[in-house]
Amino acid sequence: SDGNAGFMGSASDRIGSIFIELVAEADRDLGGRAVMARIRERTDYLAGIKVEVQPLEKGPPVGKPIQIEFSSNQRGLLEPAMARLRAYLDTLPELVDIDDSAALPSIEWRIEVDRQQAALYGADVSSAGLAVQLVTNGVKVGEYRPDDAEDSVDIRVRFPKRDRGITAMDELRISTDQGMVPLSNFVRMQPAPGVDALKRIDGRPVELIRANLRDGVMADSVVADIGAWIARQSFDPAIDIRFRGANEEQADSMAFVSAAFGLALAIMFLLLVSQFNNFYQSVLILLAVVMSTAGVLLGLLVLQNPFSALLTGVGVVALAGIVVNNNIILIDTFNHVRREHPGLDIRDVIVRATAQRLRPVLLTTVTTVCGLLPLAAGFSVDLAGRSVTIEGEMAMFWAPLSQAIVFGLSFATVLTLVATPALLSLPPTLKLYVRALRHRLAIA
């Protein structure tokens, strides 16, 4: 057992662990999740042994995806509240490998010394403690370091094995001023529930419930259901309950992606204003970036895929650079044609600029989409090994990022070629309407 070493990631009664390394995907018929399901299926019959299957974490260890933390300054409130929630989690079919950090059932013997009675016999607590050590771990009398070792070894004295144990306490005698006195005259042994470990985070006592998810189950939906159930319960106000694990990591990832996207838009806006010297055109380019995220969400909705806080978010940030490039070359060509032909109608300028930049925009979109389409479709292409793997590990990892760029860029290309030219004609058209309205008011 590893004791409390795995408080955040494993149960305290874990006996041992086995690391299984799978062969290459091309050499096996089952995927990683199917292998995990097969292991669970073939170990269900083992009585008295609970087998948990956990994939290897390739980043900072966060443990199981569902982690619920109970914290309170009153330690006695934690385990009853945790037992209530544990009973509810056992009814959810979406969860597997449920465990908690509650102390294991055990008994410890506590030695109570009657100081007044001990004083009558001329004994003290320290002498009683030394006598008890002779029955348990022994009394340290020195150290010895072998020639072939770097660390010293304790030299301890204790009773022979046959004279050690709980019953030996009743026969133990200690030397006092009045002679050899039975230790049981002033020492009593009381059984009490064993204490596994005192667990604290930021100085507050805590307990934790952990659980894995079945294949195909999203952590967000399960967390929402558990949170709704907790809100309906009447837990003691002194207990703080919060979700950790995957939910905490997702919140951190979303905060990072949101900050990165906002910072990227701010830097783009400053550069665009400095280059175009036009506030409206700069806002128009950034508007196309924001609207392109609708294409990402629409694609995820069609495929019924979840929004990955990290990979899909990074794909949205990468998409912004491509969309900005397409809109910059279109608007720059619009400004160039307008300067070269000042007498040309605004609509003709827009049509000519769009026609000139149609091929560069389409080439950028087609090459990018075609390049990422295999990854987005779940194909792993190994050019060196001349093999193609469907739904391989690498493709499944990069699929959310690729899908975000493919769907977002395809949607943004339509915006660039249709919406952006239409919005470029908006200011001159508004000026004409305002001028016509003023003229009518002046005549009236």
Side-chain angles (χ1 to χ4, degrees):
S1 174
D2 58 359
N4 192 48
F7 167 57
M8 295 302 295
S10 62
S12 57
D13 58 348
R14 186 177 69 179
I15 299 174
S17 59
I18 300 175
F19 177 77
I20 300 176
E21 184 176 1
L22 303 180
V23 299
E25 288 181 296
D27 300 331
R28 51 185 164 91
D29 299 329
L30 298 178
R33 296 187 180 276
V35 172
M36 294 170 58
R38 186 72 60 86
I39 294 175
R40 287 194 178 97
E41 178 184 345
R42 294 188 177 183
T43 55
D44 280 343
Y45 73 94
L46 298 175
I49 298 177
K50 184 177 181 181
V51 179
E52 295 185 357
V53 186
Q54 188 78 7
L56 179 65
E57 295 182 281
K58 297 182 179 180
V62 296
K64 297 180 179 180
I66 301 296
Q67 297 185 22
I68 307 171
E69 179 187 283
F70 294 76
S71 62
S72 175
N73 291 324
Q74 304 177 37
R75 184 178 294 275
L77 300 175
L78 296 179
E79 290 203 10
M82 185 171 60
R84 287 175 56 189
L85 181 57
R86 173 67 186 269
Y88 169 72
L89 296 184
D90 289 334
T91 63
L92 298 180
E94 300 89 353
L95 301 181
V96 293
D97 301 336
I98 305 174
D99 69 86
D100 55 58
S101 60
L104 299 177
S106 61
I107 296 177
E108 64 180 19
W109 291 92
R110 297 180 181 177
I111 299 176
E112 298 180 357
V113 180
D114 188 341
R115 296 178 182 270
Q116 295 180 353
Q117 193 70 16
L120 294 177
Y121 292 101
D124 55 14
V125 177
S126 60
S127 60
L130 289 174
V132 172
Q133 289 184 44
L134 291 173
V135 179
T136 55
N137 295 329
V139 179
K140 181 179 177 180
V141 296
E143 293 181 350
Y144 168 71
R145 187 174 66 180
D147 295 337
D148 57 348
E150 296 182 357
D151 299 329
S152 59
V153 180
D154 293 342
I155 301 176
R156 293 182 173 272
V157 178
R158 57 180 178 172
F159 288 156
K161 188 175 183 179
R162 65 179 180 275
D163 297 328
R164 298 197 300 263
I166 299 299
T167 58
M169 301 294 296
D170 298 331
E171 303 175 0
L172 195 63
R173 296 173 179 268
I174 63 173
S175 177
T176 66
D177 297 338
Q178 301 180 16
M180 301 298 292
V181 177
L183 191 65
S184 58
N185 287 357
F186 55 89
V187 172
R188 292 187 307 167
M189 295 183 60
Q190 297 290 338
V195 177
D196 187 4
L198 299 179
K199 300 170 281 290
R200 295 177 181 269
I201 294 180
D202 296 333
R204 299 192 67 186
V206 297
E207 296 291 351
L208 204 68
I209 296 180
R210 301 168 291 253
N212 282 327
L213 298 169
R214 294 192 182 275
D215 190 17
V217 178
M218 295 300 301
D220 286 348
S221 59
V222 177
V223 168
D225 293 341
I226 298 174
W229 183 86
I230 293 175
R232 295 193 300 267
Q233 305 305 307
S234 57
F235 287 105
D236 194 296
I239 302 176
D240 292 333
I241 304 176
R242 67 169 181 154
F243 290 91
R244 306 194 67 174
N247 187 70
E248 189 176 32
E249 289 296 314
Q250 181 179 356
D252 293 341
S253 300
M254 285 298 296
F256 163 74
V257 171
S258 300
F261 190 66
L263 183 61
L265 290 180
I267 295 176
M268 289 177 186
F269 181 73
L270 293 177
L271 293 175
L272 291 173
V273 171
S274 63
Q275 292 298 316
F276 284 106
N277 197 24
N278 189 304
F279 182 82
Y280 177 75
Q281 292 181 355
S282 302
V283 171
L284 186 58
I285 294 175
L286 294 185
L287 182 62
V289 173
V290 175
M291 293 179 63
S292 65
T293 58
V296 177
L297 300 178
L298 184 62
L300 296 179
L301 185 63
V302 171
L303 296 179
Q304 296 183 351
N305 287 342
F307 185 95
S308 173
L310 188 58
L311 291 175
T312 307
V314 172
V316 171
V317 176
L319 174 67
I322 306 174
V323 175
V324 164
N325 177 70
N326 288 342
N327 283 270
I328 283 176
I329 61 175
L330 178 62
I331 294 179
D332 184 65
T333 303
F334 166 78
N335 293 333
H336 176 74
V337 173
R338 196 174 186 183
R339 285 194 304 268
E340 293 295 325
H341 305 85
L344 200 63
D345 184 71
I346 187 66
R347 296 182 180 180
D348 295 334
V349 173
I350 292 174
V351 170
R352 183 173 298 186
T354 305
Q356 290 183 9
R357 291 307 174 187
L358 176 64
R359 184 170 61 179
V361 170
L362 289 180
L363 284 177
T364 301
T365 301
V366 171
T367 53
T368 305
V369 169
C370 290
L372 293 176
L373 200 56
L375 275 179
F379 290 91
S380 296
V381 181
D382 184 3
L383 297 179
R386 291 178 294 180
S387 63
V388 178
T389 305
I390 301 176
E391 295 184 354
E393 182 178 349
M394 186 61 65
M396 296 302 293
F397 181 78
W398 292 108
L401 187 147
S402 303
Q403 291 170 359
I405 296 179
V406 167
F407 285 105
L409 185 57
S410 301
F411 187 78
T413 301
V414 178
L415 295 178
T416 301
L417 298 176
V418 177
T420 300
L423 292 175
L424 283 174
S425 65
L426 182 61
T429 304
L430 289 179
K431 289 181 180 179
L432 291 177
Y433 280 118
V434 171
R435 189 177 303 172
L437 181 61
R438 288 180 180 179
H439 182 68
R440 293 177 182 178
L441 292 176
I443 296 176

